[in-house]
Amino acid sequence: MIIDVHTHTPRHRTAPPAAEQKLDALWRPDQKASTAHTWDDSVAAMKMVDRAIVFNIASDPRGDVPDDGQLIYATPQVNDDTAAFVRAHPEKFIGFLTVHPHDPRVMEEIERAAGDLGLRGIKLGPNYQHFDPLGEEAFRVFKRAEELGLPVLFHQGTSPVQFADLDFAHPRHIDRVAMAFPELRMILAHMGHPWQIDCFVVIRKHPHVYADISANFYRPWSYYNAFQLATEWNVLHKLLFGSDFPIASPQETMDALWRVNDVTEGTKLPRVPEDGLEAILHRDSLALLGLE
Ligand SMILES: [Zn+2]
């Protein structure tokens, strides 16, 4: 069983006009990526996984952060799109809703998206959405998520977007969220890159807080270091498989897992245990998140 816990809902059923399909060098250092993927693109990329979680990010109703037009856009459309896609492929995809904590209709949208639309978790990007993860508005969302059994996946760590506040996505803040909401299942995306160690000390102390490995393999030295640190801190078992599709595919992410130790060749550096890496690929993440 392979579960991809981090993929982005295709906004387009069919290919959009060429002007919207531009490849962007922002998202990964080794190649350009397009965020204008279609339903068919997602279905094809997820052939190799058994289940995949899909979501996008609700834009800021205050208009403070520019809408990137593809992965970050307004409710209710962003949740309707995810629900429509999941309804077309229910055997494969599990949809997460997204909201903006400062939206005056945030609580109604959670009820609508988790109820009528059948979405089963929440995706938030505190840096992209420009909200304080320890603020009162965010805590109202976490409280309702805990009550409804909706796991929350946070974008964590760096972003190339100039006005996305890095500190709002620092994994150390999630420690306080987890202390306030100990039953809330949470996933810290991207192992909090480049603050993987800060991410690991948080997931180490909270039984229901996990991290996904997506979007790290483009930097092989920090990728190796992340898994080596995860081994030393004994949190390899808290790492979940995820790709961040369409930025990277699950196939690329799996292939990269087998190359983690390449940087140790010809050195005395310790190898990350291969069985620990293999276990990440086959982790039963849905059970851990209470989604079975
Ligand atoms: Zn993502």
Coordinates of all heavy atoms in Angstrom, one line a residue, residues 6-8 55 57 71 123 128 153 155 189-190 214-215 243-245 247, ligand 1:
H6 N 0.3 14.2 0.1 CA 0.4 15.7 -0.3 C 0.4 15.9 -1.8 O 1.4 15.8 -2.5 CB 1.8 16.2 0.3 CG 1.9 17.7 0.2 ND1 2.5 18.4 1.2 CD2 1.6 18.6 -0.8 CE1 2.5 19.7 0.8 NE2 2.0 19.8 -0.4
T7 N -0.8 16.1 -2.3 CA -0.9 16.4 -3.8 C -1.9 17.6 -3.9 O -2.8 17.8 -3.0 CB -1.4 15.2 -4.6 OG1 -2.8 15.1 -4.5 CG2 -0.7 13.9 -4.2
H8 N -1.7 18.3 -5.0 CA -2.6 19.5 -5.2 C -3.7 19.2 -6.2 O -3.4 18.7 -7.3 CB -1.7 20.7 -5.6 CG -0.9 21.2 -4.5 ND1 -1.3 22.2 -3.7 CD2 0.4 20.9 -4.1 CE1 -0.4 22.4 -2.8 NE2 0.7 21.6 -3.0
F55 N -5.7 18.6 -2.2 CA -6.1 19.9 -1.6 C -5.5 21.1 -2.4 O -4.5 20.9 -3.1 CB -5.7 20.0 -0.1 CG -4.3 19.6 0.1 CD1 -3.2 20.3 -0.3 CD2 -4.1 18.3 0.8 CE1 -1.9 19.9 -0.1 CE2 -2.7 17.9 1.0 CZ -1.7 18.7 0.6
I57 N -5.1 25.7 -1.5 CA -5.0 26.6 -0.3 C -6.0 27.8 -0.6 O -5.9 28.4 -1.7 CB -3.6 27.1 -0.1 CG1 -2.6 25.9 0.1 CG2 -3.5 28.1 1.0 CD1 -1.2 26.4 0.2
L71 N -2.9 27.3 -7.5 CA -3.0 26.5 -6.3 C -3.6 27.2 -5.1 O -4.0 26.6 -4.1 CB -1.6 25.9 -5.9 CG -0.9 25.1 -7.0 CD1 0.4 24.5 -6.5 CD2 -1.8 23.9 -7.5
K123 N -6.2 21.7 4.8 CA -4.9 22.2 4.4 C -4.8 23.7 4.7 O -5.7 24.4 4.3 CB -4.7 21.9 2.9 CG -3.5 22.7 2.3 CD -2.2 22.1 2.7 CE -1.0 23.0 2.2 NZ -0.3 22.5 1.1
Y128 N 1.6 31.4 3.1 CA 0.9 31.9 1.9 C -0.4 32.6 2.2 O -0.8 33.5 1.5 CB 0.5 30.7 1.0 CG 1.7 30.0 0.5 CD1 2.0 28.6 0.8 CD2 2.6 30.6 -0.4 CE1 3.1 28.0 0.3 CE2 3.7 30.0 -0.9 CZ 4.0 28.7 -0.6 OH 5.1 28.0 -1.1
L153 N -3.1 19.5 7.6 CA -1.8 19.5 6.9 C -1.4 21.0 6.7 O -2.1 21.7 6.1 CB -1.8 18.7 5.6 CG -0.5 18.5 5.0 CD1 -0.5 17.2 4.2 CD2 0.0 19.6 4.0
H155 N 1.4 23.7 5.2 CA 2.7 24.0 4.6 C 3.6 24.4 5.6 O 3.3 25.3 6.5 CB 2.5 25.1 3.5 CG 3.9 25.5 3.0 ND1 4.5 24.8 2.0 CD2 4.8 26.4 3.4 CE1 5.7 25.3 1.8 NE2 5.9 26.3 2.6
A189 N 4.2 19.7 6.5 CA 4.7 19.4 5.1 C 6.2 19.6 5.0 O 6.8 20.5 5.7 CB 3.9 20.2 4.1
H190 N 6.7 18.9 4.0 CA 8.1 19.1 3.6 C 9.1 19.0 4.7 O 10.2 19.6 4.6 CB 8.3 20.5 2.9 CG 7.1 20.9 2.0 ND1 6.6 20.1 1.1 CD2 6.3 22.0 2.0 CE1 5.6 20.6 0.4 NE2 5.4 21.8 1.0
S214 N 7.7 15.3 1.3 CA 7.7 15.9 -0.1 C 8.6 17.1 -0.2 O 8.9 17.8 0.7 CB 6.2 16.3 -0.4 OG 5.8 17.4 0.5
A215 N 9.0 17.3 -1.5 CA 9.7 18.5 -2.0 C 11.1 18.7 -1.3 O 11.5 19.9 -1.2 CB 8.8 19.8 -1.7
S243 N 4.3 13.7 -2.2 CA 5.1 14.1 -3.4 C 5.0 15.6 -3.7 O 5.9 16.2 -4.3 CB 4.5 13.4 -4.7 OG 3.2 13.9 -4.9
D244 N 4.0 16.3 -3.2 CA 3.7 17.7 -3.6 C 3.4 17.8 -5.1 O 3.6 18.8 -5.8 CB 4.9 18.6 -3.3 CG 4.5 20.1 -3.1 OD1 3.3 20.4 -3.0 OD2 5.4 20.9 -3.2
F245 N 2.8 16.8 -5.7 CA 2.4 16.8 -7.1 C 1.5 18.1 -7.3 O 0.6 18.3 -6.5 CB 1.6 15.6 -7.5 CG 1.3 15.5 -9.0 CD1 2.2 15.2 -9.9 CD2 0.0 16.0 -9.4 CE1 1.9 15.2 -11.3 CE2 -0.3 16.0 -10.8 CZ 0.6 15.6 -11.7
I247 N 4.3 19.6 -8.4 CA 5.7 20.1 -8.4 C 6.6 18.9 -8.6 O 7.7 19.0 -9.3 CB 6.0 20.9 -7.1 CG1 4.9 21.9 -6.8 CG2 7.4 21.5 -7.1 CD1 4.7 23.0 -7.9
Ligands
ZN1 ZN 2.2 21.5 -1.6

